[in-house]
Amino acid sequence: MQFTALAAAVAFAVLPSALAANWDVAVGPNNQFAYSPTTITPAVGDTVTFTFMSRNHSATTTDFNNPCPPPPGGLGPGAFDTGFHSATTGDQPVVVVTIEDTDPHFVSCMQAAGAHCRLGMTLAINPTADQTYEQFLANALAD
Ligand SMILES: *[C@@H]1O[C@H](CO)[C@@H](O)[C@H](O)[C@H]1NC(C)=O
Ligand SMILES: [Cu+2]
């Protein structure tokens, strides 16, 4: 009986990491000012792997209404900032971020004082009915 309870406790302890998923996001695929995909819906503890595929970009949390440029370090609780990474054909840097909450987070690129952001380089993490990816993109294009 006691052995069974212990085994169950050990199994439960490893459950969260066993269930954590990874979300792959390409940064600048095909030389575009874009992330792909543009929306992801990670759970707490999931990871996001950003692969920098062209030019020199960042993935930085920013304000939904006034996205461009994102502030260095990112914005608010759950903020993150990959920093700038420059890619060449032979060198595609990878940055892994662990998601700490399920609040909506909106991501863009800090490069060129927000110029990439205003070209629509945008990613929504757990967008909501009130804060959609489409509206975030529209806000960036108009910023
Ligand atoms: C990438 O961009 C940042 C910000 O503009 C700049 O400081 C850095 O030197 C650039 N890196 C390369 C390798 O060009
Ligand atoms: Cu960029």
Side-chain angles (χ1 to χ4, degrees), residues 3-82:
F3 179 79
T4 307
L6 179 62
V10 169
F12 185 74
V14 300
L15 209 53
S17 59
L19 288 178
N22 178 65
W23 301 74
D24 282 313
V25 174
V27 182
N30 303 314
N31 223 25
Q32 294 173 332
F33 297 98
Y35 304 93
S36 180
T38 55
T39 299
I40 58 173
T41 55
V44 173
D46 284 3
T47 50
V48 183
T49 300
F50 291 99
T51 302
F52 293 80
M53 306 192 76
S54 68
R55 305 179 193 263
N56 180 348
H57 298 296
S58 79
T60 309
T61 51
T62 192
D63 183 61
F64 179 81
N65 293 304
N66 298 291
C68 306
L75 190 86
F80 63 81
D81 178 7
T82 63

Side-chain angles (χ1 to χ4, degrees), residues 85-100:
H85 294 281
S86 189
T88 61
T89 307
D91 179 20
Q92 301 192 327
V94 170
V95 176
V96 179
V97 171
T98 300
I99 297 300
E100 293 169 356

Side-chain angles (χ1 to χ4, degrees), residues 104-121:
H105 293 291
F106 298 94
V107 172
S108 189
C109 177
M110 293 189 297
Q111 190 59 273
H116 292 193
C117 179
R118 287 186 292 271
L119 285 169
M121 191 167 182

